[in-house]
């Protein structure tokens, strides 16, 4: 099964969507929920339009679809803030982030796939410790920023949700780590530069060759590189359509979304491109999968791509053009510091997979070259 991996997870329900009809090939009913095990994984999408109780910061939340929920043996009624043991969970990276599915077992339909558990369950010890640690961080975020909404964390990413590191369809970046106030659609001014050193610069520099030679996945590394090329060749060609709910890229071969399986998804514009990174050890291509990461290069919002407002959309494209222009004028001599993460992505031939790098963050925005 290309791009899939199966495993067991203990999760907490953060948000429950209404029951929906399955697509004709499945039949029955399905239910989508937002779940977490409080571990962090950069492949998990950042949910921008739903606030959670309890507040969950960082890349710790996944969409989970319970297929044929009316046929799942002894399926409990899903409840907000309750914890469940999900068995034989399928994890897939749709191109917009890691998502989970639970379905009746193909060979053992009587197998109980979802079991509600109490807080005192012996297998929840590590889960509860992560939960308490995350809630403390969320409280600090609220105290300092007034809200934990859209906050992120760059600490460890090696817990349970990271166990789904098998071959996946395509990588998903760690989405924008700036606050919502920084990225309003109408904001055209570059945010004031912090007087404090970027956390990226406190990490040790790792040569690209050493990262590529290693076996780790979804771990962030600081690199000191030049961006020596970019693909596609123009900013306009980097614009793609993605599902508004889950950020899965649009494919015209199916009317429903490949990521969240919504039967009538709403699509919005986003950007995706490849940057050639070069350091003293080697050169390689790295993925910048969306406008949130691209915004970090310019220091200005590119979320206008998704706004549906013509002026905001055009302004975002102009910011993208600045990036292309900067690479054209500065690629031979300008060195920058990035955070990158090794991920698995589709290879050049059918059903092939390659290990490549994904751009996660940049130490500081690039100087502007366009007026």
């Amino acid at each position: 099964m290309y791009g899939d991996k199966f495993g067991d997870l203990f999760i907490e329900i953060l948000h429950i969507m209404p029951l929906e009809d399955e697509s004709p090939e499945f039949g029955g009913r399905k239910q989508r929920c937002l779940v977490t095990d409080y571990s962090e994984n950069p492949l998990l999408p950042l949910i921008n339009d739903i606030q959670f109780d309890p507040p969950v910061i960082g890349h710790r939340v996944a969409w989970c679809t319970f297929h044929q929920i009316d046929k799942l043996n002894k399926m409990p009624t899903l409840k907000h803030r309750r914890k469940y043991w999900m068995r034989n969970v399928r994890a897939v990276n749709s191109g917009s982030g890691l998502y989970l599915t639970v379905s009746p077992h193909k060979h053992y339909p009587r197998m109980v796939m979802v079991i509600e558990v109490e807080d005192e369950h012996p297998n929840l010890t590590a889960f509860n410790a992560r939960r308490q640690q995350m809630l403390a961080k969320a409280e600090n975020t609220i105290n300092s920023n007034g809200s934990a909404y859209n906050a992120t964390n760059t600490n460890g990413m090696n817990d349970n949700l990271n166990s789904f590191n098998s071959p996946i369809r395509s990588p998903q970046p760690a989405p924008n780590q700036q606050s919502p106030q920084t990225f309003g659609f109408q904001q055209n001014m570059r945010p004031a530069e912090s007087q404090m050193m970027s956390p990226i610069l406190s990490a040790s520099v790792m040569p690209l060759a050493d990262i590529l030679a290693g076996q780790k996945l979804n771990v962030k590394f600081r690199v000191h590189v030049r961006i020596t090329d970019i693909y596609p060749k123009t900013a306009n060609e980097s614009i793609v359509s993605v599902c508004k709910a889950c950020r899965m890229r649009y494919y015209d071969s199916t009317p429903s979304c490949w990521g969240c399986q919504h039967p009538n998804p709403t699509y919005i514009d986003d950007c995706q491109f490849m940057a050639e990174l070069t350091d003293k050890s080697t050169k390689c291509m790295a993925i910048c999968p969306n406008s949130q990461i691209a915004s970090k290069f310019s220091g200005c919002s590119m979320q206008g791509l998704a706004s549906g407002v013509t002026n905001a959309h055009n302004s975002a494209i102009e910011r993208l053009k600045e990036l292309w222009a900067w690479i054209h004028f500065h690629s031979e001599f300008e060195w920058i510091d990035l955070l990158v993460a090794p991920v698995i992505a589709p290879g050049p031939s059918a059903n092939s997979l390659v290990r490549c790098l994904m751009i996660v963050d940049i130490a500081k925005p690039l100087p502007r070259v366009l007026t």
Side-chain angles (χ1 to χ4, degrees):
M1 283 166 288
Y2 175 67
D4 296 345
K5 185 172 182 179
F6 292 82
D8 290 3
L9 274 179
F10 286 89
I11 57 90
E12 181 174 342
I13 300 283
L14 298 177
H15 185 77
I16 303 173
M17 300 292 286
L19 284 167
E20 305 172 57
D21 290 332
E22 285 278 16
S23 54
E25 61 265 29
F26 282 104
R29 305 274 279 170
K30 67 180 179 182
Q31 190 160 34
R32 297 192 306 128
C33 300
L34 287 169
V35 304
T36 184
D37 74 347
Y38 294 99
S39 66
E40 189 174 26
N41 186 328
L43 296 181
L44 293 174
L46 194 66
I47 309 300
N48 293 312
D49 53 353
I50 298 175
Q51 297 193 42
F52 309 117
D53 178 23
V56 179
I57 62 174
H59 309 290
R60 294 180 167 89
V61 180
W63 281 105
C64 181
T65 301
F66 297 86
H67 286 291
Q68 297 178 300
I69 193 169
D70 46 343
K71 298 181 181 179
L72 287 170
N73 189 28
K74 298 183 179 179
M75 178 68 190
T77 300
L78 298 175
K79 301 175 184 177
H80 177 232
R81 299 189 70 172
R82 295 297 300 168
K83 300 176 180 65
Y84 298 86
W85 176 22
M86 303 195 307
R87 306 174 66 190
N88 207 43
V89 182
R90 176 187 173 191
V92 179
N93 193 306
S94 65
S96 62
L98 197 70
Y99 72 92
L100 310 173
T101 66
V102 177
S103 304
H105 198 286
K106 182 177 180 180
H107 302 293
Y108 305 99
R110 293 179 58 84
M111 179 178 177
V112 179
M113 308 298 292
V114 182
I115 302 170
E116 185 173 353
V117 296
E118 299 297 329
D119 291 344
E120 298 76 19
H121 192 285
N123 288 342
L124 286 180
T125 302
F127 177 100
N128 290 329
R130 290 195 301 272
R131 187 179 193 274
Q132 291 302 317
Q133 183 181 33
M134 193 285 307
L135 290 177
K137 292 177 181 178
E139 183 177 358
N140 291 336
T141 302
I142 293 172
N143 291 337
S144 60
N145 298 334
S147 174
Y149 185 53
N150 205 25
T152 62
N153 180 347
T154 59
N155 289 332
M157 297 174 283
N158 299 311
D159 290 307
N160 286 5
L161 283 175
N162 264 351
S163 66
F164 293 114
N165 285 337
S166 62
I168 49 181
R169 295 185 186 275
S170 63
Q172 168 73 9
N176 181 11
Q177 297 183 8
Q178 305 244 10
S179 66
Q181 292 82 0
T182 302
F183 286 107
F185 290 157
Q186 303 303 319
Q187 181 161 351
N188 293 319
M189 299 299 293
R190 182 186 299 272
E193 294 187 6
S194 172
Q195 300 300 313
M196 299 179 63
M197 182 179 69
S198 166
I200 295 176
L201 299 179
S202 63
S204 299
V205 174
M206 181 70 71
L208 288 173
D210 290 355
I211 300 173
L212 297 174
Q215 299 298 318
K216 292 182 178 180
L217 290 173
N218 311 328
V219 178
K220 297 177 184 179
F221 296 98
R222 174 192 171 189
V223 294
H224 187 63
V225 298
R226 292 181 293 121
I227 301 181
T228 50
D229 204 353
I230 192 168
Y231 179 84
K233 290 301 182 182
T234 68
N236 287 333
E237 291 177 288
S238 72
I239 306 302
V240 297
S241 295
V242 299
C243 174
K244 185 177 182 179
C246 72
R247 305 293 168 154
M248 170 66 183
R249 186 167 177 175
Y250 170 70
Y251 295 96
D252 58 8
S253 58
T254 174
S256 61
C257 174
W258 284 30
C260 61
Q261 290 121 33
H262 194 287
N264 297 297
T266 298
Y267 288 101
I268 57 177
D269 281 349
D270 205 341
C271 70
Q272 295 177 357
F273 59 85
M274 303 283 291
E276 183 183 68
L277 307 184
T278 301
D279 69 3
K280 295 179 181 180
S281 66
T282 189
K283 65 174 60 177
C284 67
M285 301 301 292
I287 304 164
C288 183
N290 62 31
S291 59
Q292 293 174 324
I293 299 300
S295 296
K296 295 174 178 289
F297 284 93
S298 71
C300 293
S301 173
M302 294 185 192
Q303 291 186 357
L305 290 173
S307 68
V309 179
T310 300
N311 289 341
H313 187 278
N314 293 341
S315 177
I317 292 181
E318 290 303 310
R319 299 288 78 78
L320 278 175
K321 289 180 179 179
E322 287 194 0
L323 175 57
W324 263 253
W326 186 92
I327 292 171
H328 175 75
F329 289 111
H330 297 270
S331 62
E332 293 303 319
F333 58 87
E334 192 79 25
W335 292 79
I336 62 175
D337 289 276
L338 302 174
L339 279 186
V340 299
V343 296
I344 298 295
S349 59
N351 295 329
S352 66
L353 295 166
V354 295
R355 183 173 178 271
C356 62
L357 297 185
M358 171 186 66
I359 299 172
V360 176
D361 204 350
I362 183 171
K364 64 179 181 179
L366 302 177
R368 289 184 175 175
V369 297
L370 301 180
T371 58

